[in-house]
């Protein structure tokens, strides 16, 4: 099974497609131009598959689906755009949507990478102390006719155990790597991670804002492509992965089915609160919901950046403090007894 294109690749593809369609060039000619400009490799193979199928059927969204590298959301939006004659607008909106998704993903990767690097450095420092430094201190104690006790003995024995059972620790590392792959690659694992992040006090706000940003961006494109609010909500319910957001969308759908108008159903669902909820009501009444949703998505993106920086600001000093305390405790557990011995000798 082919891997889906990432947000950056999707943004570039739909931007190029939008430019050709806005210029009055047909989708077939546009794909042909993109194919001519592409380098040899997987990208060219994907474009060739799209071009071949498009030349046979004249249907762009089916060609994208056949390629197997476009997400269902993009294919569904292009289908609507093709059926309503608004492919250029939908392509442009999809380019902006995936550019925003790439920006959010980059911010999250940056936020995660720094703590992981620090955590790795912490583990390396601690392992060097346990496996290399502590045995040296043990030899010093033996030369003085003494042995380590208490916390220092515990740390030393831990290092000896790690040396003796290194195979076990390698197996544990392999299991941890497998868990990471499961939670990042499988759909079930991603849902579990989303649930955890959503319920965490540290990342709950970020997860909620990301879900709101994606909802607003998706809603904007759906409305621009010609769907009404009910159809948009139904499609977003199918495509949304975050459990809490799905529940909120379902509440709105149920109320719409029971005859409530969209602003009331939307307000009751709790998808947005405060100013954003009022903006949706105004947008619905003035017929500018697509523009309002796009503006809300952009605003949420700024809030996500701010929230990520806040979390990093909390994590960084905490990890430095933890590393300092652990290293300090290990060294003090050895140095204090040695200092006492030296003072006694003196």
């Amino acid at each position: 099974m082919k891997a889906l294109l990432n947000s950056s690749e999707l943004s570039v593809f739909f931007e190029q497609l939008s430019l050709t369609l806005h210029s009055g060039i047909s989708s077939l000619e546009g794909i042909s131009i993109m194919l001519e400009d592409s380098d040899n490799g997987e990208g060219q193979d994907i474009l060739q598959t799209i071009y071949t199928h498009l030349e046979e059927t004249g249907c762009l969204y089916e060609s994208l689906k056949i390629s197997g590298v476009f997400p269902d959301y993009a294919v569904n939006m292009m289908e609507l755009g093709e059926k309503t004659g608004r492919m250029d607008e939908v392509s442009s909106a999809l380019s902006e949507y995936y550019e925003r998704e790439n920006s959010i993903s980059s911010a999250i990767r940056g936020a995660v990478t720094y703590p992981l690097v620090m955590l790795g450095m912490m583990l390396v420092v601690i392992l060097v102390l346990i496996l290399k430094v502590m045995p040296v201190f043990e030899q010093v104690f033996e030369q003085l006719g003494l042995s380590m006790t208490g916390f220092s003995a515990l740390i030393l024995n831990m290092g000896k155990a790690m040396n003796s059972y290194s195979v076990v620790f390698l197996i544990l590392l392999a299991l941890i790597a497998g868990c990471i792959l499961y939670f990042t690659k499988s759909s079930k694992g991603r849902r579990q991670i989303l649930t955890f992040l959503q319920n965490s006090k540290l990342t709950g706000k970020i997860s909620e804002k990301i879900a709101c940003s994606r909802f607003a961006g998706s809603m904007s494109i759906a409305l621009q492509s010609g769907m009404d609010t009910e159809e948009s909500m139904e499609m977003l319910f199918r495509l949304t992965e975050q459990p809490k957001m799905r529940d909120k969308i379902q509440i709105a759908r149920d109320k719409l089915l029971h005859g409530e108008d969209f602003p009331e159903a939307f307000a009751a669902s709790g998808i947005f609160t405060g100013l954003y909820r009022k903006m949706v009501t105004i947008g619905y009444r003035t017929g500018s919901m697509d523009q309002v949703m796009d503006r809300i998505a952009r605003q949420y993106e700024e809030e996500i950046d701010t929230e990520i920086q806040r979390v990093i600001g909390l994590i960084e000093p905490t990890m430095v403090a933890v590393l300092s305390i652990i290293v300090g405790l290990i060294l003090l557990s050895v140095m204090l007894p040695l200092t006492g011995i030296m003072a006694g000798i003196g």
Side-chain angles (χ1 to χ4, degrees), residues 14-288:
F14 285 113
E15 182 181 16
Q16 292 178 345
L17 182 61
S18 172
L19 287 172
T20 58
L21 294 175
H22 275 297
S23 302
I25 300 173
S26 69
S27 57
L28 181 62
E29 291 175 310
I31 297 297
S32 175
I33 293 171
M34 292 165 65
L35 182 58
E36 291 174 3
D37 293 339
S38 66
D39 298 325
N40 292 329
E42 187 179 0
Q44 190 177 65
D45 294 339
I46 292 168
L47 288 170
Q48 184 62 58
T49 300
I50 295 171
Y51 179 81
T52 301
H53 194 272
L54 182 58
E55 193 174 32
E56 293 174 355
T57 64
C59 184
L60 179 59
Y61 81 86
E62 283 189 2
S63 303
L64 299 182
K65 188 174 183 178
I66 288 293
S67 70
V69 296
F70 289 85
D72 291 340
Y73 177 71
V75 174
N76 290 342
M77 289 298 98
M78 287 305 297
E79 179 181 3
L80 288 169
E82 200 161 4
K83 289 179 177 178
T84 57
R86 305 173 71 174
M87 277 203 303
D88 53 346
E89 297 175 22
V90 173
S91 298
S92 179
L94 282 172
S95 175
E96 293 179 7
Y97 173 79
Y98 284 113
E99 184 179 359
R100 190 157 52 240
E101 283 285 291
N102 184 55
S103 176
I104 292 172
S105 298
S106 297
I108 293 173
R109 282 195 299 270
V112 171
T113 300
Y114 182 73
L116 286 179
V117 170
M118 285 199 67
L119 182 61
M121 292 174 63
M122 285 174 59
L123 291 174
V124 169
V125 170
I126 293 168
L127 287 173
V128 168
L129 282 172
I130 293 174
L131 299 175
K132 299 297 182 182
V133 177
M134 292 301 288
V136 173
F137 280 110
E138 183 188 24
Q139 292 176 7
V140 173
F141 271 77
E142 287 176 351
Q143 290 172 1
L144 294 171
L146 301 170
S147 61
M148 290 185 176
T149 58
F151 184 70
S152 57
L154 176 65
I155 297 297
L156 180 65
N157 291 331
M158 187 185 300
K160 290 179 178 179
M162 291 177 70
N163 280 321
S164 301
Y165 300 100
S166 56
V167 175
V168 175
F169 284 102
L170 288 174
I171 293 172
L172 286 174
L173 287 174
L175 289 174
I176 292 171
C179 289
I180 292 172
L181 288 174
Y182 167 74
F183 284 117
T184 55
K185 299 299 182 181
S186 70
S187 57
K188 185 178 179 181
R190 285 196 298 269
R191 284 197 297 271
Q192 290 172 340
I193 284 290
L194 285 172
T195 302
F196 170 77
L197 294 176
Q198 190 171 282
N199 295 325
S200 169
K201 290 184 179 180
L202 189 63
T203 57
K205 285 187 178 180
I206 296 176
S207 179
E208 182 181 349
K209 290 180 186 296
I210 290 173
C212 290
S213 174
R214 287 174 174 167
F215 173 86
S218 300
M219 191 77 173
S220 174
I221 297 174
L223 294 170
Q224 286 182 51
S225 66
M227 297 178 75
D228 60 29
T229 51
E230 288 79 5
E231 291 172 330
S232 301
M233 295 293 283
E234 194 278 330
M235 185 196 69
L236 290 178
F237 176 77
R238 286 189 287 106
L239 297 176
T240 299
E241 290 187 344
Q242 194 182 50
K244 283 188 178 179
M245 181 57 74
R246 282 175 61 87
D247 292 342
K248 290 177 180 180
I249 295 173
Q250 185 59 53
I251 290 171
R253 292 177 64 209
D254 291 341
K255 290 188 176 296
L256 288 170
L257 289 173
H258 284 87
E260 293 189 26
D261 63 9
F262 184 78
E264 292 177 357
F266 196 85
S269 69
I271 294 174
F272 297 150
T273 57
L275 176 62
Y276 294 148
R277 183 177 61 196
K278 293 178 180 178
M279 288 173 64
V280 170
T281 301
I282 294 170
Y284 181 81
R285 291 173 179 170
T286 58
S288 57

